[in-house]
Amino acid sequence: MSGIRITGGAMLCIVLLASMTVNVRATGSHAAPVPSLVLRASAVYATDVRGIIGMQRHFSTVLHAGPVHHTEESDSGQLMSDGSFVNISYYRIADDGKAFSAQQIAQRDAQTNQDWTIGKIFFKEPYDRRYTGDYVFDQPQACVACPAGTVAVSFGSGIKDTQHGSGTMWIVAATGRVDRLTYIPNVLPSHATFGTVTETGGRAMPNVWYVTRIDGTYQGKAFVLKGTGTFTGVFDHFRQFSTVTQGRAALNAGTI
């Protein structure tokens, strides 16, 4: 479960994925069966994120629109329990190079934690068993340009919000782990006309495979200005904790 927050009244957008062939239908009892490899990937992911896990997040957003250039960078810690959100704490935020005050960081903390608590912001990955039912899937296909043993599965969702999308995920058949996932959000940020997001998986810890990088590219228009935007998220410093209390203490101390 990863999250992207695009800030500012930005003109953003993304390149369409021409390779998407999945037939997006409304989810429900008439949806096609979930491919066995996707079910296996869901089970493997659930095992990987079991327990109390903390990580650091390093986000960078860059917006260009005519003479306007805007950047935001941030460092934060996140704690989750069995893959579900527990808490996020920002350590640093800089807007166009100017550091946020302690009060501004506290406000961002409060808003972010409120949004995550009620289930907003983060993309609901199709291999997360909590959300697999929100999607329909094509059968796995051979992936010519991928490493040996990797297959491609196209997916789509009829749920029209920012947390679902249509795209392709590449799964390592031998392990059931998702190597990479690229999607177009069903609902784009304000002023965006197109956009694509890629999540790259990696070995976060010896026994944990998780998203270690997110790259988003957007294009859009506001008034007479056309613009582009990019988002980069890097996830590192993963740690496991015995209890949520122990994890919260490390999060608050900035020692994750």
Side-chain angles (χ1 to χ4, degrees):
M1 176 174 60
S2 53
I4 301 176
R5 176 185 290 276
I6 303 295
T7 60
M11 33 270 16
L12 307 174
C13 137
I14 301 180
V15 181
L16 283 171
L17 302 178
S19 61
M20 291 183 186
T21 59
V22 70
N23 179 24
V24 180
R25 303 181 297 275
T27 56
S29 59
H30 298 294
V34 179
S36 59
L37 181 60
V38 175
L39 292 176
R40 184 179 175 216
S42 297
V44 169
Y45 174 73
T47 299
D48 275 340
V49 298
R50 186 173 299 155
I52 315 302
I53 298 176
M55 72 193 79
Q56 287 187 16
R57 316 182 312 164
H58 311 283
F59 291 172
S60 175
T61 301
V62 180
L63 308 175
H64 294 279
V68 178
H69 177 78
H70 171 71
T71 63
E72 181 181 294
E73 297 180 343
S74 68
D75 300 310
S76 58
Q78 179 173 346
L79 189 68
M80 61 185 186
S81 176
D82 293 336
S84 296
F85 162 79
V86 174
N87 196 238
I88 288 172
S89 180
Y90 280 90
Y91 306 138
R92 180 188 71 92
I93 305 173
D95 188 5
D96 290 331
K98 182 179 179 180
F100 270 32
S101 66
Q103 181 180 3
Q104 289 174 307
I105 290 178
Q107 290 172 341
R108 175 69 65 83
D109 267 351
Q111 184 64 58
T112 299
N113 281 283
Q114 176 182 321
D115 288 344
W116 274 78
T117 298
I118 61 178
K120 292 183 178 181
I121 298 180
F122 59 88
F123 177 62
K124 295 183 176 179
E125 282 99 349
Y127 57 82
D128 187 326
R129 58 176 48 165
R130 293 170 297 176
Y131 314 118
T132 300
D134 294 348
Y135 293 88
V136 292
F137 303 88
D138 282 348
Q139 290 299 316
Q141 301 292 326
C143 183
V144 177
C146 298
T150 302
V151 296
V153 179
S154 294
F155 62 87
S157 175
I159 299 176
K160 301 301 182 183
D161 64 17
T162 60
Q163 296 176 272
H164 293 81
S166 298
T168 302
M169 55 183 172
W170 290 267
I171 303 174
V172 181
T175 63
R177 284 172 165 159
V178 178
D179 178 70
R180 181 166 48 96
L181 178 153
T182 298
Y183 69 95
I184 294 175
N186 285 348
V187 175
L188 293 166
S190 177
H191 302 300
T193 54
F194 296 103
T196 187
V197 180
T198 297
E199 297 186 352
T200 303
R203 192 171 298 281
M205 291 185 288
N207 60 334
V208 174
W209 186 272
Y210 194 74
V211 175
T212 56
R213 185 180 178 92
I214 299 175
D215 293 282
T217 305
Y218 304 83
Q219 295 175 348
K221 184 176 181 181
F223 302 106
V224 297
L225 295 178
K226 292 183 178 180
T228 62
T230 60
F231 170 85
T232 302
V234 175
F235 303 80
D236 57 19
H237 290 81
F238 288 80
R239 287 182 59 188
Q240 288 183 308
F241 300 93
S242 300
T243 66
V244 170
T245 299
Q246 185 185 55
R248 283 185 185 275
L251 184 69
N252 294 334
T255 58
I256 287 182

